[in-house]
Amino acid sequence: YESKCTFCHDPFSNTTLTGPGHKGILKNPLLPVSRKTANPENVANQLRTPFRDMPSFSYLSDEEVGNIIAYLNTL
């Protein structure tokens, strides 16, 4: 997360940098930009096939995506 996401996302607030802040992102009913249900499957899809201006991270392994989702669950 630190090496791929913090350039555009603040993990400790909901403030928008380039992208939305991630504080509590998986505790909310909807993801902030796509408005899809905030669940691990939709986060994984967002990483691999992004909505709007986010770059694709399709090269990340399933384990790396899982680690990002696990981290998001702690926010």
Side-chain angles (χ1 to χ4, degrees):
Y1 185 95
E2 189 173 312
S3 68
K4 303 290 183 193
C5 306
T6 57
F7 297 108
C8 297
H9 302 281
D10 182 352
F12 305 112
S13 79
N14 293 318
T15 302
T16 297
L17 301 177
T18 300
H22 284 164
K23 182 179 180 183
I25 192 164
L26 288 173
K27 294 174 179 76
N28 295 320
L30 302 174
L31 295 174
V33 177
S34 69
R35 310 305 293 165
K36 293 181 180 177
T37 303
N39 61 36
E41 180 182 12
N42 284 333
V43 170
N45 288 335
Q46 176 67 14
L47 289 168
R48 293 193 169 110
T49 311
F51 181 78
R52 288 214 184 142
D53 299 327
M54 185 170 143
S56 174
F57 293 95
S58 60
Y59 59 86
L60 294 175
S61 69
D62 289 344
E63 181 179 5
E64 290 169 315
V65 170
N67 289 340
I68 290 170
I69 292 168
Y71 177 69
L72 291 175
N73 272 312
T74 70
L75 302 178

